[in-house]
Amino acid sequence: MRNSLGRKTVIATAAAVVALAVFAGTALAAPVLQPGVTSAPGMSGRCTKCHTYATKSSTTKSSTAKYRTASVSHPYTGKASYKTGSTFTVFGFVTPKLPSSTNAKITLRFEKLNKSGKWSVVTTLTPTATVTSTGAFKKKTNYKASVTVDGVGQYRVRAKLAWRDSKGTSHTKTSTYHRFAISK
């Protein structure tokens, strides 16, 4: 039992010495400092004898990088209710303004409230909106589409934006719903 305790003490002491040596070696090694940092914590000045300084990365953001976070507004109808068979304009905007080189497509999805209280897609109404640089919303990419709804009831519509950036990567964003009614 005594030999066992002595052996454990020797092993624990050896492990502590090794850990201390590893810690001291890493603590004394000169770190690579990041751009804008002049020294390690607790030190002042800029040491070039034992420290190396990382250079700033030269990654350039593409001009379309900010458009990956583009959002599309919910469609506006102008009024909350329309008569059956009347043609009205559904419009909205995309923010930030997409560059003209981008081929953006906006598809509108209409849903009707059933008698059971559930929304169902109206397959006859899936127009593609025209994307323009002019419209009701200044300094934004506008979209609009003319729609004629023949059925009476409660409807909701949302816009889906799909576009390709300069690298050819496809992106999509979907808006929230906008509700309106069709009456006799």
Side-chain angles (χ1 to χ4, degrees), residues 122-145:
V122 181
T123 56
T124 57
L125 292 173
T126 53
T128 301
T130 307
V131 180
T132 66
S133 59
T134 60
F137 304 99
K138 298 190 184 314
K139 296 185 180 180
K140 293 184 168 105
T141 303
N142 289 261
Y143 67 87
K144 64 180 178 177

Side-chain angles (χ1 to χ4, degrees), residues 57-81:
S57 62
S58 61
T59 57
T60 307
K61 291 183 180 178
S62 67
S63 62
T64 58
K66 64 182 178 180
Y67 300 111
R68 289 186 193 138
T69 60
S71 64
V72 60
S73 74
H74 70 76
Y76 296 90
T77 56
K79 297 191 302 186
S81 181

Side-chain angles (χ1 to χ4, degrees), residues 65-160:
K66 64 182 178 180
Y67 300 111
R68 289 186 193 138
T69 60
S71 64
V72 60
S73 74
H74 70 76
Y76 296 90
T77 56
K79 297 191 302 186
S81 181
Y82 291 94
K83 297 285 184 189
T84 300
S86 63
T87 302
F88 58 94
T89 303
V90 175
F91 59 95
F93 63 90
V94 176
T95 185
K97 187 171 184 173
L98 294 172
S100 59
S101 62
T102 325
N103 41 353
K105 178 182 177 184
I106 296 182
T107 307
L108 300 174
R109 177 181 167 154
F110 288 86
E111 296 178 359
K112 184 177 181 181
L113 188 61
N114 291 335
K115 291 179 182 178
S116 63
K118 294 185 179 182
W119 294 99
S120 61
V121 177
V122 181
T123 56
T124 57
L125 292 173
T126 53
T128 301
T130 307
V131 180
T132 66
S133 59
T134 60
F137 304 99
K138 298 190 184 314
K139 296 185 180 180
K140 293 184 168 105
T141 303
N142 289 261
Y143 67 87
K144 64 180 178 177
S146 293
V147 180
T148 304
V149 181
D150 292 326
V152 175
Q154 293 289 322
Y155 289 85
R156 68 182 186 179
V157 60
R158 74 176 180 183
K160 180 181 180 182

Side-chain angles (χ1 to χ4, degrees), residues 24-31 51:
T26 56
L28 297 176
H51 289 85

